[in-house]
């Protein structure tokens, strides 16, 4: 078999197992075997870029970075649905349609997925372009991100039409949502309110690696094209399934065909209860008329089709007693008031607590202890208080006064101007903050210290053995070995892992020390731009914001961090211990690109974008973010944006290929 055939064979195999796993939730080979196939394909593609297809399954891992999403006009306007909130409205809608149509017809009931709408065009069975709804007539081209979603096929099978668009919803399973938020808590980043917001944020990320990591999912249900060979919506959905799409499943009752309005009601009632057990969020039910010819007869209003209607679930509200308020201290020192409620059943679970968010919420409802409050489980996962039954308030119910001191360390709280949250400013000695920072410090993407769970941190902290992260490097075998669940082997491994972390590169150390708003990517940018910690500590505001991805909020936070003496002392201690506080010098391979500036754009076959940037610097050149008259070269890969191309051409800047670049640095 020649290389091209093997590439095709691997592609087909991977696509097959991928579909089995992500669409049909089945598995025929082990994860290990799957990874082996993927590795082989990656290697072959790297060695033989001429065989690497833009729809190769290796594209799922992300890595394409877009500077700005292009706006694209929808071939078919992307409308929304008219909403209804009661069964009577559904009956009225069905009656109206019956009157207008004058012949028997069927309905199709579906879940109303609570995600982000997408339209994906396929040409010749290959994914061509994925566009968001936008304003309904124009949306954003987010193909690079959509390609990372494992349940979206990159290539189709069967008897698909030559050119068509499939529409549906991109969603984030609740489990993935919770994982991301947990990570954000550890990284001192603001959490997302609900899976829909996170889906939307993820799809807007310019770095497709983010989308690849966050594990989005899809349900696709609407087909658009000229002369599609189906007569009805249901038939189209079933057909799309055979081409490899993840469509609503009949077995799971995600889609249901009926001629009876009573059965529509049963479907609504069924899902109003069962939705609590779905692995993703839905916010209602959609009822559509099945037959395309009848859809055509009914047509559209200005904003929505007359042949479909959405039924929105009411958020279930219950009344219960507010027994007390407690205050949680987060890892960033943020104080969150939590309502302790008389237990009450809501949406299939017993609710005992509800979030109150901040002092303003308490003020807004003028809450008193003993109040009867209305609790609701909305799009958010945690129930919230939405109102008070003031009729039941007794004169002796005490008004809730927001605490003024930290419940963990008694430090007076502060509330920064323009912020809703109160904070405990004592980040050096407030236990949840210190422990939170410690957990962030040792995380895999930070110092990668293995074998230190949050319980062990608690123990070490309560024994006074670790007061800040630098104390980790002073831990001794005899202090560890007798701890709960530790033992000799684990103690030794932990000490080894701590020692090994001294080699972790500067950019990750910078991320690990936990400067507010400095996540992984920002840390990388800072390390690259300033080379060492002293330069960052002394950087002026203007120097900071000149760096890609760094805006006012981050710049101020960096300056604030280094203005505190305690932070400087901690860094000095970590430096003395031997942690890396300077960017490793890139050994200059040549001076071939001396004083030349490059803009790198698009996707490359042989090198990753990071590798290319590294090579530019290693050969004495400079990477710049955007094209200007000072740019010497634009290094263009596949899929370079048209706007860039135009700008480079206008300014007369030479556009070079990967092969040209290799010649310039003498690699060919
Ligand atoms: S059909 C002409 N079916 O809800 C519009 N939409 O409010 C056809 N949605 O734009 C839309 N689940 O983003 C349809 N099963 C479903 C849906 C669904 C979720 C979203 C979609 C739509 C919005 C309308």
């Amino acid at each position: 078999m020649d290389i091209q055939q093997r590439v095709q064979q691997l592609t087909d195999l991977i696509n097959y197992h991928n579909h089995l796993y992500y669409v049909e939730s089945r598995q025929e080979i082990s994860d290990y075997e799957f990874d082996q196939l993927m590795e082989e394909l990656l290697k072959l593609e790297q060695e033989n870029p001429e065989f690497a297809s833009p729809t190769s399954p290796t594209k799922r891992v992300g890595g394409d970075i877009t500077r700005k999403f292009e706006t694209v006009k929808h071939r078919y306007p992307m409308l929304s649905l008219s909403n209804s909130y009661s069964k009577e409205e559904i009956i009225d809608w069905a009656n109206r349609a019956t009157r207008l149509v004058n012949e028997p017809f069927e309905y199709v009931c579906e879940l109303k997925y609570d995600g982000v709408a997408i339209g994906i065009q396929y040409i010749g069975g290959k994914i061509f372009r994925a566009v968001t709804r936008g304003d309904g007539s124009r949306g954003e081209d987010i193909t690079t991100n959509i390609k990372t979603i494992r349940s979206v096929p990159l290539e189709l099978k069967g008897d698909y039409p030559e050119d068509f668009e499939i529409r549906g919803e991109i969603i984030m399973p609740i489990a993935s949502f919770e994982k991301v938020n947990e990570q954000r808590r550890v990284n001192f980043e603001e959490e997302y309110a609900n899976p829909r917001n996170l889906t939307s944020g993820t799809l807007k990320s310019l770095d497709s690696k983010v989308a690849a990591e966050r594990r989005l999912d899809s349900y696709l249900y609407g087909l658009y094209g000229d002369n599609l060979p189906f007569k009805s919506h249901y038939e189209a959905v079933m057909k799309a399934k055979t081409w490899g799409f993840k469509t609503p499943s009949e077995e799971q009752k995600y889609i249901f065909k009926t001629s009876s309005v009573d059965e529509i009601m049963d479907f609504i009632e069924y899902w109003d209860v069962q939705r609590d057990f779905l692995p993703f969020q839905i916010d209602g039910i959609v009822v559509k008329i099945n037959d395309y010819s009848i859809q055509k007869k009914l047509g559209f209003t200005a904003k929505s089709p007359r042949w479909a209607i959405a039924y929105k679930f009411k958020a279930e509200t219950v009344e219960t007693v507010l027994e007390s308020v407690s205050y949680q201290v987060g890892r960033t020192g943020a104080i969150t008031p939590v309502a302790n409620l008389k237990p009450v059943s809501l949406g299939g679970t017993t609710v005992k607590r509800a979030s109150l968010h901040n002092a303003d919420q308490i003020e807004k409802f003028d809450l008193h202890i003993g109040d009867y409050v209305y609790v609701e489980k909305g799009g958010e996962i945690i129930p919230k208080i939405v109102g008070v039954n003031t009729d039941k308030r007794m004169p002796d119910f005490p008004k809730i006064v927001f605490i003024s001191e930290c419940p963990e360390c008694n430090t007076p709280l502060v509330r920064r101007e323009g912020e809703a949250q109160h904070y405990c400013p004592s980040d050096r000695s407030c236990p949840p903050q210190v422990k939170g920072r410690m957990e962030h410090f040792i995380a895999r993407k930070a110092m990668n210290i293995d074998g230190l769970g949050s319980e062990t941190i608690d123990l070490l902290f309560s024994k006074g053995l670790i007061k800040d992260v630098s104390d980790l490097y002073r831990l001794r075998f005899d202090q560890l070995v007798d701890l709960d669940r530790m033992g000799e082997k684990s103690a030794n491994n932990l000490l080894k892992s701590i020692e090994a972390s001294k080699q972790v590169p500067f950019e990750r150390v910078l991320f690990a020390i936990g400067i507010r708003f400095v996540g992984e990517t920002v840390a990388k940018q800072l390390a690259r731009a300033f080379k060492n910690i002293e330069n960052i500590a002394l950087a002026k505001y203007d120097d900071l914001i000149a760096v890609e991805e760094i805006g006012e909020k981050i710049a101020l936070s960096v300056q604030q961090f280094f203005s505190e003496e305690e932070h400087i002392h901690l860094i000095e201690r970590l430096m003395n211990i031997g942690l890396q506080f300077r960017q490793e010098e890139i050994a200059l391979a040549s001076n071939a690109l001396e004083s030349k500036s490059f803009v790198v754009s698009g996707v490359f076959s042989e090198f990753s974008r990071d590798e290319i940037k590294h090579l530019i610097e290693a050969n004495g050149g400079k990477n710049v973010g955007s094209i200007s008259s000072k740019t010497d070269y634009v290094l263009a890969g596949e899929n370079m944006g048209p706007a860039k191309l135009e700008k480079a051409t206008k300014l007369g800047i030479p556009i070079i290929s990967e092969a040209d670049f290799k010649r310039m640095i003498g690699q060919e």
Side-chain angles (χ1 to χ4, degrees):
M1 188 182 303
D2 68 15
I3 294 173
Q4 189 170 13
Q5 281 169 334
R6 180 64 182 156
V7 166
Q8 190 55 51
Q9 190 184 41
L10 285 166
T11 302
D12 293 344
L13 264 172
I14 293 170
N15 283 344
Y16 170 78
H17 290 294
N18 195 64
H19 177 268
L20 215 58
Y21 189 80
Y22 290 103
V23 179
E24 295 185 23
S25 307
R26 295 195 289 130
Q27 200 167 353
E28 281 175 4
I29 58 172
S30 67
D31 293 355
Y32 175 74
E33 287 166 304
F34 185 86
D35 291 345
Q36 296 279 300
L37 295 175
M38 201 65 155
E39 252 170 51
E40 188 185 342
L41 180 58
L42 259 171
K43 189 157 173 279
L44 284 180
E45 287 180 348
Q46 266 163 9
E47 288 166 359
N48 309 276
E50 66 276 24
F51 300 139
S53 140
T55 54
S56 160
T58 54
K59 299 280 175 219
R60 301 259 193 223
V61 293
D64 289 357
I65 302 182
T66 319
R67 285 204 66 76
K68 184 175 163 289
F69 297 124
E70 299 300 324
T71 314
V72 177
K73 190 168 165 29
H74 289 296
R75 284 208 288 184
Y76 309 91
M78 221 163 166
L79 300 175
S80 73
L81 293 171
S82 56
N83 286 327
S84 64
Y85 297 89
S86 70
K87 292 183 182 156
E88 289 70 41
E89 285 176 82
I90 298 281
I91 295 173
D92 288 348
W93 167 79
N95 286 341
R96 228 174 306 131
T98 310
R99 266 200 313 279
L100 289 168
V101 170
N102 247 333
E103 61 179 297
F105 58 82
E106 290 171 330
Y107 303 98
V108 177
C109 304
E110 283 169 26
L111 305 183
K112 187 165 172 1
Y113 302 95
D114 197 6
V116 174
I118 194 77
I120 316 175
Q121 190 183 352
Y122 285 77
I123 300 180
K126 296 192 172 186
I127 189 165
F128 173 67
R129 192 156 69 187
V131 183
T132 60
R133 183 214 308 277
D135 64 4
S137 72
R138 302 174 75 86
E140 283 179 323
D141 177 348
I142 56 164
T143 317
T144 46
N145 284 335
I146 295 298
K147 275 189 183 171
T148 68
I149 302 174
R150 308 301 201 270
S151 61
V152 172
L154 302 176
E155 293 180 12
L156 305 179
K157 50 187 182 171
D159 56 341
Y160 46 79
E162 174 57 25
D163 184 352
F164 71 98
E165 181 176 336
I166 189 162
R167 289 186 181 169
E169 205 82 357
I170 304 300
I171 55 166
M172 163 121 13
I174 295 171
S176 315
F177 167 76
E178 286 177 344
K179 230 190 250 156
V180 172
N181 261 356
E182 171 59 29
Q183 192 58 47
R184 292 192 61 96
R185 268 197 292 280
V186 174
N187 288 357
F188 298 90
E189 289 162 329
E190 206 175 314
E191 289 176 48
Y192 287 93
N194 55 49
R196 181 170 31 77
N197 287 351
L198 177 52
T199 305
S200 165
T202 304
L203 290 176
K204 289 206 174 106
S205 167
L206 294 170
D207 179 355
S208 61
K209 268 222 176 70
V210 175
E213 276 175 11
R214 287 199 185 154
R215 296 305 155 115
L216 296 163
D217 203 349
S218 64
Y219 276 98
L220 301 172
Y221 43 71
L223 288 187
Y224 295 77
D226 298 334
N227 309 317
L228 291 182
F230 332 104
K231 290 199 163 49
S232 72
H233 171 63
Y234 197 80
E235 191 191 343
V237 174
M238 294 305 137
K239 218 49 215 194
K241 179 176 171 179
T242 68
W243 304 333
F245 290 110
K246 184 159 182 175
T247 53
S249 112
E250 313 152 82
E251 300 88 62
Q252 290 174 296
K253 295 204 176 90
Y254 291 1
I255 183 166
F256 171 68
K257 189 168 67 169
T258 178
S259 319
S260 139
V261 175
D262 282 346
E263 284 190 347
I264 299 180
M265 297 307 151
D266 293 345
F267 188 84
I268 291 177
E269 257 160 50
Y270 175 82
W271 281 113
D272 200 359
V273 177
Q274 294 302 317
R275 65 183 160 123
D276 288 324
F277 307 104
L278 278 171
F280 50 83
Q281 291 196 318
I282 60 174
D283 59 341
I285 294 297
V286 181
V287 189
K288 304 172 182 175
I289 288 173
N290 192 24
D291 201 307
Y292 283 157
S293 66
I294 297 182
Q295 288 191 1
K296 215 166 163 195
K297 252 190 209 172
L298 288 169
F300 295 84
T301 67
K303 275 193 289 188
S304 53
R306 283 199 194 85
W307 46 263
I309 189 162
Y311 172 87
K312 297 269 265 190
F313 292 129
K314 279 186 274 298
E316 196 189 339
T317 306
V318 287
E319 194 185 294
T320 189
V321 177
L322 171 61
E323 294 183 329
S324 64
V325 173
S326 34
Y327 297 86
Q328 287 176 347
V329 187
R331 296 172 184 204
T332 58
I335 310 289
T336 309
V338 177
N340 299 308
L341 306 167
K342 187 168 169 210
V344 62
S345 163
L346 176 67
T349 52
T350 305
V351 171
K352 299 187 200 110
R353 290 145 76 77
S355 170
L356 281 166
H357 300 293
N358 53 47
D360 291 347
Q361 288 286 314
I362 298 178
E363 206 44 50
K364 177 174 133 197
F365 295 122
D366 180 31
L367 289 177
H368 289 58
I369 299 293
D371 268 348
Y372 283 77
V373 290
Y374 301 117
V375 182
E376 195 177 284
K377 220 174 177 180
E380 278 85 62
I381 308 282
I382 305 160
K384 59 179 180 195
I385 291 180
V386 292
V388 189
N389 185 348
T390 42
D391 293 348
K392 292 195 187 167
R393 180 175 293 159
M394 296 297 157
D396 60 339
F397 285 3
K399 185 175 158 63
I400 294 168
V401 181
F402 203 85
I403 50 169
S404 55
E405 286 173 4
C406 175
E408 298 275 352
C409 68
N410 302 327
T411 307
L413 299 180
V414 294
R415 184 174 175 174
R416 300 189 193 109
E417 212 175 289
E419 287 191 17
Q421 221 73 26
H422 281 76
Y423 280 89
C424 166
S426 166
D427 62 345
R428 288 270 298 153
S429 55
C430 179
Q433 294 191 62
V434 177
K435 284 190 278 190
R437 255 204 318 280
M438 204 84 77
E439 283 176 24
H440 169 75
F441 186 80
I442 64 171
R444 192 171 54 83
K445 290 185 169 177
M447 304 305 283
N448 192 22
I449 297 178
D450 237 1
L452 198 58
S454 72
E455 284 126 33
T456 316
I457 290 187
D458 272 358
L459 263 176
L460 292 170
F461 186 78
S462 60
K463 285 182 187 271
L465 290 173
I466 46 174
K467 293 197 187 66
D468 67 48
V469 294
S470 71
D471 294 332
L472 286 172
Y473 295 88
R474 275 190 219 105
L475 287 172
R476 294 187 319 258
F477 181 78
D478 59 293
Q479 292 170 321
L480 292 169
V481 71
D482 291 333
L483 293 178
D484 251 9
R485 274 181 279 183
M486 190 53 93
E488 279 186 25
K489 196 162 168 225
S490 316
N492 272 323
N493 284 344
L494 174 57
L495 287 171
K496 257 193 226 150
S497 184
I498 293 176
E499 189 58 30
S501 75
K502 292 182 186 168
Q503 301 312 321
V504 161
F506 174 46
E507 57 190 42
R508 276 169 50 200
V509 177
L510 190 57
F511 169 57
I513 57 175
I515 305 172
R516 234 178 143 209
F517 308 127
V518 175
E520 233 185 308
T521 342
V522 171
K524 237 183 232 169
Q525 300 283 17
L526 284 171
R528 274 209 194 120
F530 294 98
K531 311 288 184 222
N532 63 44
I533 196 93
E534 292 86 357
N535 289 346
I536 299 177
L538 297 172
K540 303 243 160 43
Y541 176 82
D542 288 343
D543 301 333
L544 287 166
I545 57 165
V547 178
E548 213 174 318
E549 291 194 47
I550 295 179
E552 181 184 347
K553 188 168 97 172
I554 299 176
L556 290 177
S557 167
V558 170
Q559 292 197 313
Q560 171 66 32
F561 183 90
F562 289 103
S563 72
E564 287 174 34
E565 220 165 289
E566 282 170 358
H567 291 149
I568 304 293
H569 290 321
L570 174 68
I571 287 169
E572 281 169 0
R573 281 198 298 280
L574 293 173
M575 258 181 186
N576 291 335
I577 288 163
L579 268 56
Q580 307 298 316
F581 280 98
R582 50 189 63 242
Q583 178 92 327
E584 228 172 90
E585 289 296 329
I586 298 177
L588 222 47
S590 81
N591 283 326
L593 312 177
E594 200 179 340
S595 72
K596 297 282 181 241
S597 66
F598 286 76
V599 170
V600 180
S601 175
V603 192
F604 299 90
S605 46
E606 197 160 337
F607 303 110
S608 73
R609 196 192 297 256
D610 273 350
E611 281 165 349
I612 291 233
K613 288 192 171 172
H614 183 88
L615 280 172
I616 291 175
E617 287 180 20
N619 287 282
K622 216 168 62 185
N623 286 295
V624 289
S626 57
I627 301 174
S628 72
S629 56
K630 291 193 201 126
T631 311
D632 289 301
Y633 296 100
V634 173
L635 177 46
E638 227 179 281
N639 290 346
M640 172 177 169
K644 259 197 186 147
L645 194 65
E646 197 187 315
K647 189 159 183 197
T649 319
K650 220 186 217 161
L651 293 172
I653 295 162
I655 300 172
I656 58 166
S657 69
E658 194 174 5
D660 298 332
F661 176 70
K662 274 176 68 183
R663 269 191 293 278
M664 285 169 94
I665 58 170
Q667 283 211 4
E668 208 169 67

